[in-house]
Amino acid sequence: MIRTLFMWLGAMLLGASVAHAEPVTLDGTEQWTMQSAQGREYRIMISLPEGDVPYTGGYPVIYLLDGNAYFPAFHAAKRAQKRLRGSILVAIGYPSDTPLDFVRRAFDLSPPAPPARNDPPQGGQDLFLDFIEKRLMPKVAEHFKVDQDQRSLVGHSFGGMFGVYTLFTRPTLFQHVVAVSPSLWWQDRYLLEPERAFNKRAYAGQLNLTHSSLTLLMGERDLVQAIQDARALQERLQDLSQYGLRSDFQIEPGEDHMSVPFRVPTRVLDELISARRF
């Protein structure tokens, strides 16, 4: 009887505990809801800067794609070490309870697709870039002191592909791009055309790449072809070092396509924050 009573009381207490449970809140963060010009809603997660404003007059800002999936890991890595805290992490996500919203990201991060392949809808990369450049960046600058010479973009898979596209088509938008396991093979390597246009402008002296960088970071267990494509891209871009573009190719041992973005946050943040413009 006593044992039964204790079991009943325990169940009641457990039930009361669960009934009053609340979502976990990450310290040092805030969240915004924003819309694009077309009315698409975004969930913006901010890892707030800590400490005094740097001598540059503003905090470096790191924009992170697929924020629902990767913001917690990058935020934790940023707060774990003092040297990383004096920066702003802006993660762009969606009003969804799934880590990766495949329908939304398929549109935002991709080029236009032939009708036969346009399911789910694709082709929103320029609209998404407009949202980042014309809506999100100005709002971040309104709320924080921002170092305009220290803006970075980090993306994985489709997000990495989008980062490379951004470098090629809007090279002044970010000083540094980190493409983690980028999908360079997408649509028969469609990025080759904007790459050629980018190279042409660079060799013609039309671009200031003095403080620009691209890091291609692959998992050791990524597809062999994907690793080869990334290495080949970095090799093709090496000649642009004479115009200031720094390019790098790295392999993370033991990691595959889906595990690598959770393995590298500290290294990525450290590289981006230490790559100051002097």
Side-chain angles (χ1 to χ4, degrees):
M1 178 68 178
I2 294 177
R3 181 182 178 188
T4 302
L5 178 62
F6 275 118
M7 291 176 64
W8 178 79
L9 287 172
M12 290 293 292
L13 290 172
L14 180 61
S17 171
V18 172
H20 291 87
E22 297 180 358
V24 174
T25 299
L26 297 176
D27 294 337
T29 68
E30 64 185 47
Q31 180 171 292
W32 307 338
T33 297
M34 295 186 65
Q35 287 190 344
S36 68
Q38 297 75 34
R40 296 184 180 87
E41 188 172 299
Y42 293 92
R43 178 185 178 194
I44 308 300
M45 293 154 274
I46 312 289
S47 180
L48 301 171
E50 301 179 33
D52 296 333
V53 177
Y55 68 89
T56 57
Y59 297 102
V61 185
I62 299 157
Y63 290 86
L64 176 66
L65 303 175
D66 289 319
N68 297 49
Y70 306 129
F71 178 69
F74 275 78
H75 171 66
K78 183 173 92 73
R79 297 200 82 205
Q81 301 189 59
K82 186 176 181 179
R83 70 180 185 278
L84 304 179
R85 295 175 192 163
S87 61
I88 305 166
L89 177 65
V90 180
I92 309 170
Y94 302 105
S96 168
D97 58 1
T98 59
L100 293 169
D101 189 323
F102 291 103
V103 173
R104 289 291 306 274
R105 73 192 299 271
F107 181 79
D108 281 343
L109 305 177
S110 68
R117 300 189 208 169
N118 203 35
D119 185 19
Q122 300 169 45
Q125 56 188 10
D126 289 313
L127 295 176
F128 187 42
L129 273 173
D130 285 343
F131 165 75
I132 294 173
E133 180 177 8
K134 299 175 183 179
R135 296 203 172 205
L136 179 56
M137 283 183 165
K139 183 169 182 178
V140 171
E142 286 176 8
H143 282 72
F144 306 101
K145 291 184 179 296
V146 170
D147 184 350
Q148 299 294 345
D149 293 323
Q150 193 67 13
R151 300 191 303 259
S152 305
L153 178 67
V154 180
H156 168 246
S157 192
F158 257 34
M161 175 181 75
F162 177 85
V164 175
Y165 175 79
T166 300
L167 171 66
F168 290 159
T169 59
R170 305 193 194 191
T172 61
L173 195 56
F174 299 97
Q175 285 75 36
H176 313 293
V177 173
V178 178
V180 183
S181 295
S183 303
L184 302 178
W185 50 269
W186 189 252
Q187 283 197 30
D188 299 324
R189 296 176 173 81
Y190 88 96
L191 283 171
L192 288 173
E193 183 175 343
E195 179 188 344
R196 285 190 287 269
F198 173 77
N199 287 339
K200 184 177 180 179
R201 294 172 65 196
Y203 286 118
Q206 298 172 358
L207 301 176
N208 180 8
L209 301 174
T210 306
H211 301 284
S212 301
S213 72
L214 170 66
T215 296
L216 298 157
L217 203 161
M218 307 296 296
E220 182 183 34
R221 293 190 289 155
D222 259 309
L223 293 175
V224 172
Q225 186 62 60
I227 294 173
Q228 292 174 346
D229 286 346
R231 190 190 302 274
L233 172 59
Q234 192 273 328
E235 291 175 351
R236 292 196 302 273
L237 294 177
Q238 279 184 332
D239 285 346
L240 294 184
S241 63
Q242 62 184 307
Y243 300 100
L245 179 67
R246 291 180 291 108
S247 58
D248 188 25
F249 172 82
Q250 302 176 22
I251 292 183
E252 187 65 24
E255 303 303 324
D256 60 29
H257 187 74
M258 293 308 297
S259 68
V260 65
F262 298 101
R263 179 73 178 218
V264 299
T266 297
R267 188 208 310 173
V268 168
L269 292 173
D270 197 35
E271 289 184 8
L272 293 176
I273 293 171
S274 64
R276 288 188 183 276
R277 180 175 184 170
F278 292 99

